[in-house]
């Protein structure tokens, strides 16, 4: 089976599927029309069933008229007592039944007219009874007895005739409604059968098309997966090779730390000796050259130390040597070290240490290294304003924050400043640096079981927060 797709990526139907879809649509329309007509028939059937309530009310009225005749005959037979209480009570019940029937037959004009006739006949009965009530003598009762019986007879005849007519009409309407409903049901059943057959055919056709498409898509997906697996294996091999090379490089640098530092320290040491002992004997130009050698050597030593720290961390050879110490003293020592880097008179360096901080059990040198790096960066990028070092603790965590009012860091640069050899942006190159300080600081923080994070607003300053456990592992 060949499949076709429209320019919008929607699958085109085959001729058989189009015919089946049209057939299903037409049957659905016809079914909906039949349901609407059947709904109208149900309303007609409900009206016919509701007329049964009126029929029941007429039966109650017929029974009430019969009871009224019985009570009236008892009154006539026992005229000596001249008690109309039973007749009045029955008459009141009959009036209630008439009101109920009138309410339920409010939409049936024919029933309303018949009830009005019954009500008029009862009015004649009430007038005659009132005359007897006015003069309840045996002679008066005997005089009006034929008239009372005549009115009651007419009421019984009228009510019975009307009840029979309504009963016949009720059963005729019910039979017609049920027959119509039965026809609609047969039609709906037949159309449902046709709809099921057409729908099943359409589903089978679509299923075959979908299965064909799925088979082809599965084949293409399998081919793509094989290609991806091949590329993934190649990438894994390349990554493993790069990791081995990087690990070898880091291991080499870490193991060669002593060999690299020793000659440089010797150069610095001998230069200082010559500078100190030859300060008076050497020409001023030579003394200045020696100072330049010392500055360059110190700078080179710092760079080497930074690279070696990265190498040790990557090689897993950076050891933690925890001791118990006072964090407030460590903060004071760090700010004293960095104080010469702060612009005097333009930048104010202050500390905010939470009182009664507990003693810290961690690697003091590594925390100091991180803190000095953060303070050096703050001093480097803050031209005016202030640099604030705060320390507090919550639960088992110590938090040290370094905030400044410097140039700040853009939101895009915040995502990469902790990567190796990365700086905030090109504008920071004028301040110097290798782009390794923050990467080393974060790795040291994680080595101590903590984390180093940063928040900043470009042009408004930055805040670097070091969070580490108060106790690094079990104390030995």
């Amino acid at each position: 089976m060949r499949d076709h797709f429209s320019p919008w990526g929607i699958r085109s139907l085959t001729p058989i599927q189009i015919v089946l879809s049209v057939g299903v649509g037409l049957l659905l329309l016809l079914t909906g029309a039949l349901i609407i007509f059947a709904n109208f028939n149900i309303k007609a059937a409900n009206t016919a069933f509701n007329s049964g309530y009126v029929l029941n009310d007429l039966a109650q009225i017929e029974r009430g008229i019969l009871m009224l005749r019985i009570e009236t005959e008892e009154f006539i037979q026992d005229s000596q007592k001249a008690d109309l209480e039973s007749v009045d009570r029955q008459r009141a019940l009959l009036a209630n039944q008439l009101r109920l029937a009138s309410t339920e037959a409010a939409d049936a004009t024919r029933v309303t007219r018949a009830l009005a006739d019954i009500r008029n006949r009862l009015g004649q009965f009430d007038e005659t009874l009132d005359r007897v009530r006015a003069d309840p003598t045996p002679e008066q009762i005997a005089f009006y007895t034929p008239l009372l019986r005549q009115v009651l007879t007419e009421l019984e005849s009228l009510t019975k005739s009307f009840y029979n007519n309504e009963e016949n009409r009720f059963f005729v309407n019910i039979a017609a409604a049920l027959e119509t409903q039965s026809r609609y049901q047969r039609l709906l059943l037949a159309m449902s059968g046709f709809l099921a057959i057409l729908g099943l055919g359409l589903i089978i056709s679509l299923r075959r098309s979908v299965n064909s498409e799925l088979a082809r898509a599965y084949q293409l997906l399998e081919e793509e997966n094989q290609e991806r697996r091949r590329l993934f294996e190649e990438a894994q091999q390349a990554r493993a090779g790069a990791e081995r090379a990087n690990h070898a490089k880091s291991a080499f640098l870490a193991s060669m730390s002593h060999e690299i530092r020793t000659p440089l320290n010797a150069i610095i040491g001998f230069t200082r000796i010559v500078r100190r002992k030859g300060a008076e004997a050497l020409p001023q130009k030579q003394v200045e050259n020696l100072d330049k050698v010392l500055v360059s050597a110190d700078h080179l030593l710092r760079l080497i130390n930074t690279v070696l720290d990265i190498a040790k961390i990557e090689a897993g050879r950076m050891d933690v040597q925890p001791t118990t110490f006072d964090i407030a003293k460590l903060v004071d020592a760090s700010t004293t070290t960095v104080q010469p880097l702060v612009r005097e008179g333009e930048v104010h360096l202050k500390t905010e240490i939470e009182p009664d901080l507990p003693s810290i059990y961690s690697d003091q040198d590594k925390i100091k290294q991180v803190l000095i790096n953060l303070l050096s960066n703050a001093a480097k990028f803050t031209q005016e304003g202030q640099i604030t070092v705060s320390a507090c603790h919550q639960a088992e965590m110590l938090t040290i924050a370094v905030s400044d009012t410097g140039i700040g860091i853009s939101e895009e640069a915040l995502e990469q400043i902790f990567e190796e050899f990365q700086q905030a942006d090109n504008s920071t190159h004028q301040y110097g640096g290798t782009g390794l300080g923050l990467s080393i600081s974060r790795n040291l923080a994680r080595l101590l079981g903590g984390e180093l994070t940063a928040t900043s607003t470009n042009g408004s300053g930055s805040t670097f927060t070091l969070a580490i456990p108060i106790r690094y592992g079990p104390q030995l």
Side-chain angles (χ1 to χ4, degrees):
M1 181 182 295
R2 185 177 180 182
D3 300 312
H4 304 279
F5 290 86
S6 68
W8 300 279
I10 302 175
R11 186 186 181 282
S12 301
L13 298 178
T14 63
I16 294 177
Q17 292 171 351
I18 293 175
V19 172
L20 291 175
S21 299
V22 171
V24 170
L26 291 176
L27 281 177
L28 286 174
L29 289 176
L30 291 175
T31 303
L34 276 178
I35 290 174
I36 293 175
F37 288 125
N39 186 48
F40 288 142
N41 183 70
I42 289 174
K43 291 182 179 179
N46 288 336
T47 303
F49 278 112
N50 289 336
S51 63
Y53 294 108
V54 178
L55 194 64
N56 180 66
D57 292 336
L58 290 176
Q60 295 295 328
I61 291 172
E62 186 177 11
R63 178 178 176 280
I65 292 174
L66 177 61
M67 294 300 298
L68 183 61
R69 170 181 283 279
I70 293 174
E71 296 295 339
T72 304
E73 289 294 335
E74 288 182 357
F75 168 73
I76 293 172
Q77 296 298 327
D78 194 8
S79 59
Q80 297 297 326
K81 294 183 179 180
D83 186 8
L84 293 174
E85 182 178 352
S86 298
V87 177
D88 291 337
R89 183 168 56 253
Q90 189 59 40
R91 177 65 184 84
L93 292 175
L94 187 57
N96 289 333
Q97 291 170 352
L98 283 170
R99 282 194 296 271
L100 180 60
S102 298
T103 301
E104 293 180 346
D107 297 334
T109 306
R110 180 186 67 260
V111 177
T112 304
R113 190 181 301 114
L115 292 175
D117 292 341
I118 294 174
R119 197 174 285 107
N120 290 335
R121 294 291 192 283
L122 285 174
Q124 296 176 5
F125 177 81
D126 292 338
E127 291 178 0
T128 304
L129 194 63
D130 288 339
R131 292 172 184 167
V132 173
R133 186 180 285 106
D135 186 14
T137 60
E139 295 78 7
Q140 193 74 1
I141 294 173
F143 177 77
Y144 286 107
T145 294
L147 184 57
L148 289 172
R149 287 174 176 170
Q150 180 183 353
V151 173
L152 289 172
T153 300
E154 292 176 355
L155 277 170
E156 289 178 348
S157 176
L158 177 62
T159 305
K160 186 173 183 179
S161 174
F162 181 60
Y163 176 81
N164 291 335
N165 291 336
E166 287 298 314
E167 186 178 31
N168 292 334
R169 186 176 288 105
F170 170 75
F171 286 112
V172 169
N173 291 338
I174 289 296
L178 292 177
E179 177 62 25
T180 304
Q181 192 69 18
S182 177
R183 286 199 299 271
Y184 281 129
Q185 289 177 351
R186 288 194 294 271
L187 285 173
L188 284 174
L189 184 61
M191 295 184 69
S192 299
F194 284 120
L195 185 61
I197 293 173
L198 291 179
L200 183 60
L202 181 59
I203 291 173
I204 292 174
S205 178
L206 291 174
R207 182 179 179 85
R208 288 177 178 174
S209 299
V210 171
N211 287 340
S212 175
E213 294 171 9
L214 287 176
R216 186 169 63 253
Y218 178 78
Q219 182 179 0
L220 293 175
L221 184 61
E222 185 64 25
E223 294 175 357
E224 184 178 354
N225 285 338
Q226 290 178 358
E227 180 64 17
R228 288 184 177 181
R229 282 194 292 269
R230 184 184 66 79
L231 294 176
F232 179 76
E233 290 175 357
E234 293 179 357
Q236 287 291 93
Q237 293 174 359
R239 180 180 178 181
E243 288 180 350
R244 286 194 298 271
N246 184 62
H247 184 74
K249 177 264 298 182
S250 300
F252 170 75
L253 290 176
S255 63
M256 292 295 293
S257 61
H258 178 71
E259 287 75 7
I260 294 176
R261 282 193 181 103
T262 301
L264 188 57
N265 286 327
I267 291 172
I268 294 173
F270 283 120
T271 302
R272 286 176 178 171
I273 292 173
V274 174
R275 170 69 174 80
R276 186 175 64 254
K277 293 186 176 181
E280 297 179 357
L282 293 174
Q284 182 62 29
K285 186 65 176 179
Q286 297 299 328
V287 174
E288 293 176 358
N289 290 336
L290 289 174
D291 290 337
K292 292 179 181 178
V293 171
L294 286 174
V295 171
S296 299
D298 286 335
H299 180 66
L300 181 59
L301 181 60
R302 285 195 298 271
L303 291 179
I304 292 175
N305 289 336
T306 300
V307 173
L308 292 177
D309 284 341
I310 285 288
K312 279 187 175 182
I313 292 173
E314 291 179 350
R317 299 181 62 178
M318 181 69 75
D319 298 327
V320 177
Q321 298 178 354
T323 58
T324 302
F325 60 94
D326 186 353
I327 192 62
K329 294 181 179 179
L330 179 63
V331 171
D332 289 339
S334 301
T335 54
T336 301
T337 302
V338 179
Q339 183 66 51
L341 303 177
V342 177
R343 292 177 177 268
E344 186 176 356
E346 298 179 5
V347 180
H348 177 60
L349 178 60
K350 68 173 184 177
T351 59
E352 296 177 354
I353 308 299
E354 180 183 285
D356 300 328
L357 275 177
S359 297
I360 309 301
Y361 180 73
S362 189
D363 193 319
Q364 182 176 0
D365 293 335
K366 291 179 174 56
I367 296 176
K368 184 177 181 180
Q369 181 179 350
V370 173
L371 188 54
I372 289 178
N373 182 68
L374 297 179
L375 287 170
S376 299
N377 286 344
K380 183 190 304 181
F381 297 112
T382 304
Q383 305 299 319
E384 59 182 358
Q386 67 179 17
I387 300 172
T388 304
V389 184
S390 61
C392 62
H393 81 289
Q394 184 176 6
E396 298 300 321
M397 295 296 292
L398 170 69
T399 301
I400 304 175
V402 177
S403 304
D404 62 64
T405 57
I407 61 175
I409 305 171
S410 64
E411 184 176 353
E412 296 78 10
L414 273 177
E415 300 178 358
Q416 62 183 17
I417 58 173
F418 289 107
E419 298 178 8
E420 295 178 4
F421 305 103
Q422 294 291 332
Q423 293 183 337
D425 51 46
N426 293 332
S427 64
T428 61
H429 290 171
Q430 59 178 314
Y431 298 97
T434 61
L436 290 173
L438 289 177
S439 176
I440 293 175
S441 297
R442 170 170 277 187
N443 285 323
L444 291 178
R446 292 176 176 176
L447 184 65
L448 298 178
E451 185 60 86
L452 178 62
T453 57
T455 58
S456 180
T457 302
N458 198 14
S460 300
S462 308
T463 299
F464 287 83
T465 304
L466 172 64
I468 58 173
I470 292 178
R471 295 186 58 81
Y472 172 79
Q475 187 172 6
L476 297 179

